């Protein structure tokens, strides 16, 4: 073929690529016959191509994909198919048919109904055309007044029959009066309760004052008593202290007396020994006379001493002079 | 309901749960008329505890703060009335105490409108009945005392009564703040007022004040006891009971005892105790009898009192054993008898020891 229609190749990645131009399908001449030389003129009509599946494809027998590989399975299925066909054929054959016609006769279909009909393939058809008239106004449909049947009865509602005030007002009145009384009862009870609460409060206050007074009286009594107790205890303490003081004083007094009793003679003796008790004449002699006497004695001794010294000096002088005179004379 | 509202002084009330929020919303409007009408409707609604609950839970109380300083006096009055209605329920009391509304509320005490002041004092009075309320109001006591002085000069009875009862409730909790403001002197001046209400409230206030040590001392110092003893002869049972209460408390301290004995109070008290009345009067005089018995008990601790009471001992014994008597009265009488019989202790603790 000159023009290439399809080709297979491998692309650079190694994937398989197939591409083909669209071409019309050739008409097959039959099974076993070689394909005709001229291909262009025998394009078949696709509508009449037996290879094209017609109709609903949903119910077509779908070839199981796995069974193809299994030859046993395929064979078994083919067996089943053949058996089914054979069964059908046998059934067909076993069906009783009308016996064949006798010699020289022929079977013909005959109608057996009462009325004979001409049987023919060609249906007698007639064409009839019709045209409606232009619309007329439809007249009003008459009122449907059924025939009168039954009895005629009339009624009338007089004044005051539908609504009787006295009976109607009864429940309303009951509710109103009841509610009012209930409300007033509640209010009165509330007030009573309040009054009772106030009485209770008053009673409580009285009791409280009562008990408070008692408590205060007892408290005061207690305070007085503790004060009294304190006072008495203080007084007692004072008394005890005084007693103790008195006892101490007595003891001190006794001791001092004893001490002093021995003191007096010793004092006197010591005084006497110190010379505080003296005879005035003796004292006088001793203080005045004796020093004077001693002074006089001293004086006279002094004078004597002076005289002796003078004499010594004179003697010394004389001797000195004698010595000097002697030395001079030497 | 279509048509004109029935009461033009009240704003129309929305249905169901929408009522309270809508009315409180209207309180924010600038027109005084609208506010007044909304307040009037709210006063009507707040008698229902469910509405009170809704108002408190919705946190609408804070909005009232703005209304306290409103220019229109009737708006202020109505706000105080509304608060007074709400204080009858504990949840609103709690909310009021825990919010910061007390301070601006207290500023309203000097409001020029008298009805506003009155409503405000009603609110404070009902708050003071609650212990937590009394505690919160203790800080306001100086202001209350000052107001009391002012009101006493102006002789407005209603406000004075309310102020006195508020101060009484606060002093029950803690009397010291009131005593610090010279309450004893102030209250004592009112003991001989003409109006029984004021006498009652003043004597109640004095009783609450004398429950405290300081108060007792002051009562003796201010020489209020003659006035109190006079009140024992008062016509109103409550006043008598309060006067007996003051004597009961004052008799606890020694000076009080001596003063009471000087005033020859024992025969009067005995007279009060021994009067036989019918049952229902007995019930209302129960407080009086109890306090008188307690006062006699305190006076029996003094030797002079004891001597006087020993003569009347059978009477007290009878009172203490009567089967139909109330238990409290019986107990009080028994204590009185016991004290009288305790010779040594009562005598010796009154006389100082001398060696």
């Amino acid at each position: 073929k000159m023009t290439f229609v399809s080709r297979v190749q491998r692309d650079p990645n190694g994937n398989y690529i197939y591409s083909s131009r669209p071409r019309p399908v050739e008409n097959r001449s039959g099974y076993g016959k070689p394909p005709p030389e001229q291909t262009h003129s025998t394009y078949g009509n696709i509508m009449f191509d037996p290879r094209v599946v017609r109709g609903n494809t949903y119910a077509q027998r779908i070839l199981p994909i796995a069974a193809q590989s299994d030859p046993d399975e395929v064979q078994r299925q083919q067996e089943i198919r053949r058996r089914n066909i054979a069964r059908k054929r046998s059934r067909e054959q076993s069906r009783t048919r009308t016996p064949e016609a006798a010699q020289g006769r022929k079977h013909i279909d005959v109608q057996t109904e009462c009325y004979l009909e001409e049987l023919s393939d060609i249906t007698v058809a007639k064409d009839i055309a019709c045209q409606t008239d232009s619309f007329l106004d439809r007249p009003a449909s008459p009122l449907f007044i059924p025939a009168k049947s039954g009895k005629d009865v009339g009624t009338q509602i007089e004044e005051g029959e539908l609504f009787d005030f006295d009976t109607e007002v009864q429940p309303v009145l009951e509710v109103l009066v009841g509610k009012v009384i209930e409300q007033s009862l509640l209010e009165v009870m509330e007030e009573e309760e309040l009054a009772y609460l106030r009485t209770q409060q008053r009673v409580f206050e009285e009791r409280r004052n009562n008990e408070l007074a008692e408590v205060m009286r007892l408290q005061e009594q207690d305070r007085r008593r503790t004060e009294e107790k304190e006072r008495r205890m203080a007084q007692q303490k004072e008394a005890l202290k005084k007693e103790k003081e008195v006892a101490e004083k007595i003891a001190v007094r006794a001791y001092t007396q004893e001490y002093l009793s021995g003191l007096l003679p010793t004092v006197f003796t010591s005084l006497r020994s110190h010379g505080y008790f003296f005879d005035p004449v003796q004292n006088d002699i001793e203080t005045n006379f004796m020093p004077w006497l001693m002074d006089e004695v001293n004086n006279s001794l002094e004078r004597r001493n002076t005289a002796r010294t003078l004499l010594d000096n004179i003697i010394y002088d004389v001797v000195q002079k004698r010595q000097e005179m002697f030395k001079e004379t030497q | 309901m279509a048509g004109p509202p029935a009461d033009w002084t009240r704003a129309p009330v929305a249905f169901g749960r929408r009522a309270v929020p809508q009315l409180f919303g209207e309180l924010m409007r600038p027109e005084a008329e609208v506010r007044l009408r909304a307040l009037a409707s709210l006063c009507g609604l707040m008698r229902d505890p469910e509405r009170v609950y809704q108002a408190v839970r919705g946190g609408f109380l804070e909005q009232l703060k703005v209304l306290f300083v409103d220019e229109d006096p009737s708006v202020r009055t109505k706000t105080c009335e509304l608060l007074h209605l709400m204080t009858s329920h504990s949840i609103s009391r709690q909310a009021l105490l825990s919010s910061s509304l007390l301070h601006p509320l207290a500023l309203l005490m000097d409001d020029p409108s008298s009805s506003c002041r009155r409503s405000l004092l009603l609110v404070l009075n009902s708050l003071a009945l609650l212990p937590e309320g009394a505690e919160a109001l203790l800080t306001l006591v100086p202001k209350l005392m000052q107001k009391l002085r002012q009101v006493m000069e102006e002789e407005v009875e209603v406000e004075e009564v309310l102020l006195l009862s508020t101060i009484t409730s606060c002093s029950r909790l803690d009397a010291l703040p009131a005593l610090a403001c010279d309450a004893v002197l102030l209250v004592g001046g009112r003991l001989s007022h003409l109006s029984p209400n004021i006498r009652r409230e003043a004597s109640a206030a004095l009783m609450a004040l004398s429950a405290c040590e300081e108060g007792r001392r002051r009562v003796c110092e201010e020489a209020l006891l003659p006035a109190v003893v006079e009140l024992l002869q008062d016509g109103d049972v409550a006043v008598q009971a309060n006067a007996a209460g003051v004597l009961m408390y004052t008799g606890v301290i020694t000076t009080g005892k001596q003063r009471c004995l000087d005033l020859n109070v024992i025969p009067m008290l005995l007279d009060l105790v021994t009067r036989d009345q019918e049952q229902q009067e007995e019930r209302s005089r129960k407080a009086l009898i109890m306090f008188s018995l307690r006062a006699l008990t305190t006076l029996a601790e003094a030797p002079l009192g004891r001597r006087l009471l020993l003569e009347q001992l059978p009477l007290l014994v009878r009172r203490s054993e009567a089967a139909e008597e109330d238990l409290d009265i019986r107990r009080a009488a028994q204590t009185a008898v016991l004290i009288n019989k305790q010779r040594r202790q009562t005598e010796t603790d009154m006389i100082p020891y001398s060696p």
Side-chain angles (χ1 to χ4, degrees):
Chain A
K1 303 207 176 105
M2 301 297 239
T3 56
F4 103 98
V5 186
S6 61
R7 70 176 175 154
V8 173
Q9 68 176 62
R10 299 256 169 196
D11 83 337
N13 286 356
N15 295 333
Y16 170 75
I17 290 182
Y18 171 76
S19 63
S20 78
R21 281 171 149 220
R23 56 189 160 102
V25 178
E26 293 146 17
N27 211 6
R28 282 287 166 87
S29 48
Y31 176 69
K33 295 203 186 122
E37 299 298 315
Q38 299 176 342
T39 51
H40 299 289
S41 57
T42 55
Y43 289 149
N45 194 346
I46 194 166
M47 294 301 286
F48 296 105
D49 198 341
R51 293 174 290 178
V52 176
V53 174
R54 289 271 180 298
N56 189 6
T57 56
Y58 304 126
Q60 290 272 347
R61 217 156 4 135
I62 303 161
L63 276 172
I65 305 164
Q68 295 249 347
S69 50
D70 194 0
D72 287 336
E73 193 64 39
V74 166
Q75 216 167 6
R76 206 171 345 121
Q77 283 199 358
Q78 282 176 355
E79 270 292 321
I80 292 170
R81 250 178 257 138
R82 254 179 251 137
R83 215 180 294 141
N84 283 344
I85 291 167
R87 206 183 291 140
K88 218 178 283 175
R89 205 170 295 145
S90 67
R91 218 183 293 139
E92 277 282 324
Q93 282 176 357
S94 62
R95 229 175 66 189
T96 49
R97 294 199 156 81
T98 49
E100 290 281 347
Q103 185 93 35
R105 298 202 182 201
K106 208 168 80 162
H107 282 306
I108 275 205
D109 294 328
V110 146
Q111 293 183 12
T112 53
E113 281 119 27
C114 288
Y115 304 102
L116 289 173
E117 265 177 49
E118 188 194 328
L119 298 170
S120 71
D121 289 333
I122 304 169
T123 49
V124 174
K126 281 206 203 142
D127 285 327
I128 294 188
C130 182
Q131 170 78 34
T132 56
D133 298 332
S134 53
F135 282 116
L136 299 167
D137 285 337
R138 181 171 172 282
S141 42
L143 274 172
F144 173 59
I145 298 172
K148 181 172 169 310
S149 65
K151 282 180 16 177
D152 269 340
V153 181
T155 178
Q156 169 77 17
I157 294 175
E158 307 291 332
E159 279 265 346
E161 277 189 6
L162 266 185
F163 181 71
D164 179 20
F165 181 74
D166 292 327
T167 40
E168 290 300 321
V169 88
Q170 182 92 349
V172 175
L173 204 57
E174 271 178 28
V175 167
L176 268 177
V177 171
K179 277 275 180 232
V180 165
I181 291 187
E182 200 183 304
Q183 185 74 11
S184 30
L185 260 177
L186 278 175
E187 284 184 10
V188 167
M189 266 165 49
E190 232 185 67
E191 281 176 21
E192 255 185 44
E193 198 178 325
L194 278 175
Y196 176 69
L197 283 175
R198 271 190 236 286
T199 335
Q200 254 193 340
Q201 234 179 5
R202 204 165 42 79
V203 166
F204 169 74
E205 276 298 330
E206 285 171 14
R207 270 215 196 109
R208 179 179 170 266
N209 279 323
N210 205 17
E211 300 299 329
L212 202 63
E214 185 65 19
V215 162
M216 280 184 188
R217 188 187 65 81
L218 289 169
Q219 259 177 358
E220 187 66 27
Q221 203 181 45
D222 188 55
R223 192 188 62 86
R224 275 203 313 266
R225 285 188 191 171
T226 38
E227 253 186 52
E228 190 61 35
K229 210 162 62 169
E230 291 297 313
R231 251 184 295 148
R232 286 193 195 183
M233 269 167 59
Q235 268 176 349
Q236 194 71 12
K237 272 200 191 107
E238 274 294 317
L240 273 174
K241 211 168 75 167
K242 277 213 175 77
E243 261 187 51
K244 210 168 83 164
E245 258 185 56
V246 164
E248 260 181 23
K249 274 190 186 151
I250 292 173
V252 159
R253 206 185 147 136
Y255 175 71
T256 40
Q257 262 184 353
E258 206 197 289
Y259 184 66
L260 285 175
S261 64
L263 193 65
L264 217 54
T266 42
V267 163
F268 277 132
T269 36
S270 81
L271 277 176
R272 194 167 291 139
S273 68
H274 278 89
Y276 285 95
F277 295 115
F278 52 85
D279 186 13
V281 173
Q282 190 183 357
N283 203 28
D284 191 37
I285 292 175
E286 283 184 11
T287 39
N288 296 334
F289 181 65
M290 295 306 287
W292 173 80
L293 190 67
M294 295 307 293
D295 277 338
E296 292 303 310
V297 164
N298 214 17
N299 282 344
S300 74
L301 282 177
E302 279 278 337
R303 265 183 277 147
R304 205 174 292 175
N305 219 17
T306 323
R308 283 203 188 133
T309 318
L310 201 64
L311 195 61
D312 279 339
N313 278 340
I314 292 172
I315 295 174
Y316 181 72
D317 275 341
V318 162
V319 169
Q320 274 297 85
K321 278 200 179 121
R322 283 231 178 127
Q323 196 189 17
E324 280 173 18
M325 278 168 60
F326 180 67
K327 271 187 189 167
E328 278 176 13
T329 55
Q330 285 257 296
Chain B
M1 288 283 198
D7 186 4
W8 66 273
T9 55
R10 291 181 172 211
V13 173
F15 181 72
R17 278 189 329 167
R18 189 64 204 133
V20 168
Q22 192 232 1
L23 283 173
F24 270 104
E26 278 198 22
L27 286 179
M28 296 287 116
R29 296 263 288 278
E31 304 98 26
E33 278 273 319
V34 175
R35 285 205 293 267
L36 198 57
R37 282 166 53 204
L39 278 170
S41 304
L42 273 174
C43 284
L45 278 184
M46 285 301 147
R47 292 172 200 274
D48 183 11
E50 289 290 322
R51 304 283 190 190
V52 173
Y53 186 81
Q54 194 185 7
V56 168
R57 281 293 158 151
F60 293 117
L61 279 183
E62 294 293 323
Q63 292 179 13
L64 294 178
K65 214 192 283 197
V66 180
L67 291 175
F68 288 151
V69 293
D70 198 271
E71 297 120 7
D72 193 359
S74 44
V75 168
R76 294 199 293 267
T77 317
K78 264 281 182 287
T79 318
C80 291
E81 270 179 37
L82 181 67
L83 271 178
H84 177 57
L85 277 173
M86 286 175 79
T87 51
S88 55
H89 299 279
S90 86
I91 188 170
S92 49
R93 280 198 295 257
Q94 307 272 2
L96 200 59
L97 286 172
S98 57
S99 73
S100 54
L101 281 175
L102 268 185
H103 196 66
L105 199 60
L107 292 174
L108 276 181
M109 263 201 275
D110 300 319
D111 198 87
S113 149
S114 72
S115 51
C116 179
R117 285 202 301 269
R118 198 177 62 85
S119 318
L120 170 74
L121 288 173
L122 278 169
V123 172
L124 288 180
N125 198 22
S126 44
L127 264 186
L129 290 171
L130 194 68
E132 292 100 29
E135 210 177 301
L137 286 181
L138 275 178
T139 46
L140 282 179
V141 162
K143 186 101 207 296
L144 287 171
M145 292 298 305
Q146 197 191 8
K147 193 73 200 162
L148 185 64
R149 255 181 263 268
Q150 215 180 342
V151 158
M152 278 183 183
E153 284 164 28
E154 293 168 16
E155 290 284 341
V156 185
E157 185 181 317
V158 160
E159 291 186 25
E160 196 176 328
V161 166
L162 287 170
L163 273 169
L164 278 170
S165 84
T166 319
I167 292 174
T168 314
S169 314
C170 291
S171 305
R172 281 211 186 101
L173 195 68
D174 183 9
L176 290 173
L179 284 169
C181 305
D182 250 349
V184 171
L185 191 58
L186 205 60
V187 164
R190 285 326 222 186
L191 285 177
S192 44
H193 201 266
L194 293 168
S195 152
N197 286 334
I198 292 195
R199 283 205 302 271
R200 191 184 60 230
E201 292 302 327
S203 48
L206 200 60
M207 188 161 97
L209 287 171
S210 58
C212 165
E213 182 72 42
E214 175 78 16
R216 267 175 256 158
R217 235 176 12 92
R218 287 271 185 90
V219 166
C220 293
E221 273 172 30
E222 311 283 353
L224 288 172
L225 285 170
V228 173
V229 169
E230 238 183 73
L231 283 181
L232 277 180
Q233 315 283 356
D234 199 271
D236 189 11
V237 174
V239 179
Q240 282 177 318
N242 287 333
V246 174
L247 287 173
M248 161 178 92
Y249 280 126
T250 323
V252 170
I253 55 174
T254 323
T255 29
K257 275 198 247 274
Q258 282 168 354
R259 296 269 173 90
C260 290
L261 288 169
D262 291 337
L263 293 165
N264 205 16
V265 92
I266 292 190
M268 277 192 259
L269 287 173
L270 281 170
D271 186 38
L272 284 170
V273 166
T274 55
R275 228 185 297 169
D276 289 319
Q277 305 273 355
E278 302 95 36
Q279 275 305 97
Q280 66 259 40
E281 280 210 42
E282 278 285 316
R283 179 64 198 79
S284 62
R285 294 181 77 239
K286 179 185 163 187
L288 175 60
I289 297 172
M290 272 201 311
F291 293 163
S292 314
L293 282 170
R294 292 275 180 218
L296 284 170
T297 317
T298 58
L299 289 174
E301 292 190 339
L304 181 62
R306 222 193 104 256
R307 235 177 300 141
L308 286 170
L309 280 173
L310 269 179
E311 300 159 19
Q312 307 291 335
L313 201 56
L315 201 140
L316 284 173
V317 170
R318 191 163 52 87
R319 217 47 208 313
S320 67
E321 275 152 25
E324 70 267 13
E325 284 293 350
D326 201 352
L327 194 62
D328 298 317
I329 297 185
R330 251 200 285 169
R331 242 187 309 156
Q334 275 166 3
T335 326
V337 169
L338 201 67
I339 290 296
N340 272 313
K341 290 202 174 140
Q342 285 174 352
R343 182 185 299 193
R344 256 185 74 84
Q345 288 162 344
T346 52
E347 269 188 7
T348 49
D349 72 20
M350 294 301 298
I351 302 170
Y353 174 80
S354 48

